[in-house]
Amino acid sequence: MLTGVHVVFLGGDARQIEVFQKLSELDASVTLVGFDQLSNPYHGIQRKSLSLELLRNTDALVLPAVGTDEDGRVHAIFTSEEITLTEEDIAALPKHAVIFTGMAKPYLSKLCAKHRITLLELFERDDVAIYNSIPTAEGAVMMAIQHTDITIHGAEIVVLGLGRTGFTLARTLLGLGARVKLGVRRPEHFARGVEMGCEPFYLTNLAQQVSQIDLLFNTIPTMIVTAQVISQMPNRAVLIDLASKPGGIDFRFAEKRGIKAMLAPGLPGIVAPKTAGRILANSISELLNEVTRSRGDGQ
Ligand code: NAP
């Protein structure tokens, strides 16, 4: 239970609804900032404006998936007001306060380090990344269906990277009957690819593997699908980049060749905000429980 813990939510999207409802059920005292256009009356949950007074009485501050931009602006879809988290705001938090976000830009990381406020980036956690890979893979399939005129069943598909997202996606595509070629750099990932029923290859040979593909999904967050690789692809190929911005595909060259290529960020929040919110809610409530328990133990 989170009795006596004051959690402030600053901006965000539909995912935060799941999170604040769960924390409220666990008896946390919840305050929302930047949710004035959310019509549901949530029992026992307060709405306030951002103020230093509020922050001085905060035990945990929950920010959106991307905490702030590089100027401190907070993405908030349920308000028309612009919300900015300033250095003065961070400095006002009590030293025991914890900030939760999906991932932090250097602006937020630096301010938290400077003012010794604990910053927990949930998307860095293995468990959250693995749970999130499920809606991500479903969203990737949705994009493939929307942008092709063939079935995934029987398609020749390259998946680049066998990390948390690549693994779930490759298995999902195999389950749908695709022929999955898996680009990896480690022998153990090559072996895993064989075990899964994919056709693994080393990334050094990428350009030789793409001449017959229908689709390519990239999960590697570095430039990997270069102009040289794209020049070997058939025109029908559709390239979907799941890696975070700027992705790993040479979009300029793909466009020049008339090959459809797109970045597909934030899929869990788009295709399954409720599930994505539950994933965050579970993780935040577990972490808050740990923090409050360790404080109770006097650590
Ligand atoms: P991950 O578990 O770290 O997997 C990354 C994969 O990329 C690993 O297979 C890794 O290989 C490979 N890799 C990294 N750098 C490489 C390089 N220089 N050369 C070759 N391979 C390289 O990460 P993840 O959780 O799967 O996430 C992958 C990307 O998708 C991230 O950018 C993440 O932010 C993004 N993402 C996007 C969405 C969305 O909605 N679009 C959702 C979730 C995640 P090794 O194991 O050999 O290092």
Side-chain angles (χ1 to χ4, degrees), residues 9-10 23 48 57 65 91 103 112 115 157 166 170 200 243 254 288:
F9 284 77
L10 194 59
L23 298 193
K48 287 193 176 163
N57 292 298
M103 63 174 94
C112 288
H115 293 281
I157 303 182
L288 263 180

Side-chain angles (χ1 to χ4, degrees), residues 12-288:
D13 55 31
R15 285 174 278 190
Q16 304 303 66
I17 298 171
E18 290 295 316
V19 186
F20 66 67
Q21 283 185 310
K22 166 125 188 174
L23 298 193
S24 181
E25 279 163 22
L26 291 170
D27 203 26
S29 147
V30 171
T31 303
L32 306 181
V33 179
F35 289 85
D36 40 281
Q37 290 172 357
L38 197 62
S39 50
N40 282 31
Y42 292 99
H43 190 67
I45 293 179
Q46 303 187 65
R47 296 179 204 217
K48 287 193 176 163
S49 301
L50 185 60
S51 70
L52 297 181
E53 180 58 26
L54 174 66
L55 291 168
R56 282 189 198 108
N57 292 298
T58 296
D59 299 307
L61 181 65
V62 181
L63 298 176
V66 178
T68 65
D69 69 8
E70 279 301 6
D71 298 314
R73 276 188 295 267
V74 177
H75 182 66
I77 68 159
F78 296 115
T79 183
S80 52
E81 282 171 30
E82 194 167 282
I83 303 177
T84 304
L85 191 66
T86 63
E87 175 160 7
E88 203 186 2
D89 293 329
I90 305 255
L93 289 166
K95 290 296 169 241
H96 71 263
V98 184
I99 295 183
F100 291 97
T101 185
M103 63 174 94
K105 300 266 187 194
Y107 171 89
L108 181 62
S109 314
K110 281 185 194 153
L111 285 183
C112 288
K114 184 172 171 191
H115 293 281
R116 299 202 183 148
I117 298 294
T118 306
L119 173 66
L120 296 176
E121 290 182 70
L122 300 169
F123 295 164
E124 278 190 354
R125 293 173 57 87
D126 234 5
D127 56 346
V128 173
I130 291 169
Y131 287 126
N132 254 337
S133 73
I134 303 166
T136 305
E138 290 189 15
V141 168
M142 174 192 81
M143 299 224 32
I145 290 170
Q146 282 172 344
H147 292 279
T148 58
D149 52 9
I150 54 166
T151 56
I152 288 177
H153 187 278
E156 181 168 318
I157 303 182
V158 163
V159 174
L160 299 178
L162 191 61
R164 282 105 26 128
T165 308
F167 189 93
T168 306
L169 178 59
R171 239 202 1 226
T172 303
L173 295 169
L174 283 172
L176 288 169
R179 185 175 155 210
V180 179
K181 300 174 88 173
L182 193 59
V184 297
R185 62 175 173 182
R186 295 205 237 168
E188 61 268 36
H189 284 172
F190 194 103
R192 180 60 69 196
V194 171
E195 176 277 322
M196 289 167 72
C198 299
E199 296 169 38
F201 63 88
Y202 284 110
L203 287 163
T204 43
N205 300 324
L206 176 57
Q208 289 86 59
Q209 298 290 331
V210 296
S211 62
Q212 299 299 322
I213 61 166
D214 298 300
L215 271 158
L216 177 144
F217 293 99
N218 175 51
T219 75
I220 299 176
T222 190
M223 178 48 68
I224 190 99
V225 186
T226 58
Q228 192 225 344
V229 174
I230 294 171
S231 68
Q232 304 301 313
M233 293 178 181
N235 262 72
R236 65 168 187 271
V238 173
L239 317 183
I240 299 176
D241 204 338
L242 302 177
S244 46
K245 274 184 194 162
I249 295 177
D250 186 335
F251 290 100
R252 185 201 61 83
F253 190 73
E255 191 180 350
K256 190 172 173 194
R257 271 220 47 210
I259 287 182
K260 220 191 255 184
M262 65 211 76
L263 254 183
L267 290 173
I270 295 168
V271 297
K274 205 172 175 94
T275 306
R278 277 192 201 137
I279 293 167
L280 295 176
N282 290 339
S283 184
I284 291 175
S285 56
E286 274 171 29
L287 289 165
L288 263 180

